[in-house]
Each structure stands twice: as structure tokens, then as C-alpha cells.
Amino acid sequence: MRACLDACVLFPTVLREVLTGVAGLGLYDPVWSERILEEWARATVKLGSEAEMQARGEVAVLKAQFPNASVRPRDGDMARLHLPDENDVHVLAAAIRGSADVIVTLNAKDFPRQQLAHEGLRRMSPDEFLMDLWIETPAAVEQVVREVHATAQRMMGSDIALRALMKKARLPRLGKALSV
């Protein structure tokens, strides 16, 4: 399966680490464009200039880790596609160019399911997407989540319950499933 990751699921660190961690295990192939990665890096500006520099470093790491993930949307697709927010057309065009099966996004209203279906795509929230992967390969997803949880606790210098961390990362269903 191929999944186009919208910038909004790359910006929160824990969410990105879980999504790319399971991709690193081969559970799916990620797809993005330079513009998606740039949107992610620019979104960190509100956290300060150091955050943007760190994000740009993380972008470089992702590009090296997933060299086939980056696609360049075709101009023809960019011209013919329409979405409620025209600023999101590039994400749809990247998904099409990358032969993605799904767009993983938190922006449901900007990616109407019917319009995506015309292009042979589905829209899923990261929680839905990761829950599906967990149902298919629970041990692999649990391994990644446990590693991300341990790293988050080390970086924070304190304990945080797995379920609370997953909820904060906008993965409440996955957090609940793994906390049972």
C-alpha cells in the first residue's frame, strides 16, 4: 500500500515518528512532495527559528530514509483538480503522481471522500490508518509505538502514560487499543 502523508501529519513529532516508523518496517510506502515537506518545515516557524532548522534536518533524514517517497505532481493534474481548499490540490496531485491508495490527513473537510474516490483514492485520519495497520500487523505497530513512547519520555525527562501520549498525538483509538 502507498500512502500520501499530508503536512499536517508530519508536523507533530510523535505522530510523524509513528507513521514513518511503521513505514520503515515496510508496512506501507510513504509518498510526499517537496511542497508537502516545505509546508511541514514552515509550520514549525511558530515554535521558533531553531524548530524550523530542526525540522529541515528531519526532512533531510526522511528524504534519505525514503528516497522513493518524493514525487513531483504533474502540472496537468494541478490544473484539472479542485478541492474545497485550493491550497490542498498539490497534496491530491502528489497522491495521484505517487500512485497512492490513501491520503493520510487530519483535514477531512478539505479532502471530500467522493472527490478522492474519482481519483481512486481514500482519505484516512492517521488514527484510522494506523489502526488498520495495527489490526493487520499488531506486533510491528506496537513495537514502533513503544519505541516512540520511550523516546518521548526520555526527551521530556518524565513519565507520560502511553494512552495520554497517543491522545496528544491525535491517535486516541490506537492509544486505547495499545493500553488495554
Side-chain angles (χ1 to χ4, degrees), residues 1-24 27-41 58-59 62-63 65-66 68-71 73 88-96 98-107 111 121-130 133 171:
M1 172 179 24
R2 295 181 62 78
C4 184
L5 304 180
D6 194 2
C8 63
V9 302
L10 292 172
F11 177 44
T13 302
V14 169
L15 179 53
R16 178 183 64 257
E17 291 298 316
V18 174
L19 285 166
T20 59
V22 296
L27 301 187
Y28 76 97
D29 294 318
V31 172
W32 49 64
S33 66
E34 289 297 321
R35 183 169 170 185
I36 290 170
L37 296 176
E38 182 62 23
E39 281 185 4
W40 159 34
E58 290 167 350
V59 165
L62 278 186
K63 285 179 175 182
Q65 187 178 5
F66 301 102
N68 299 320
S70 242
V71 297
D88 286 320
V89 168
H90 73 97
V91 177
L92 177 54
I96 292 167
S99 301
D101 303 292
V102 62
I103 294 175
V104 180
T105 184
L106 293 164
N107 298 326
F111 294 95
L121 288 158
R122 294 177 298 139
R123 176 198 77 224
M124 296 179 85
S125 74
D127 203 24
E128 290 174 285
F129 181 71
L130 289 165
L133 292 177
L171 300 170

Side-chain angles (χ1 to χ4, degrees), residues 19 47 57 73-74 78 82 99 110 146 155 158 170 175 179:
L19 285 166
L47 301 176
R74 289 183 285 261
M78 292 289 293
H82 298 282
S99 301
D110 294 333
R146 303 274 179 223
M155 291 178 76
S158 63
R170 302 183 80 172
S179 297

Side-chain angles (χ1 to χ4, degrees), residues 27 127-142 173-174 177-178:
L27 301 187
D127 203 24
E128 290 174 285
F129 181 71
L130 289 165
M131 281 297 295
D132 281 0
L133 292 177
W134 176 72
I135 289 166
E136 292 174 22
T137 52
V141 174
E142 287 177 30
R173 290 177 53 220
L174 184 63
L178 296 180

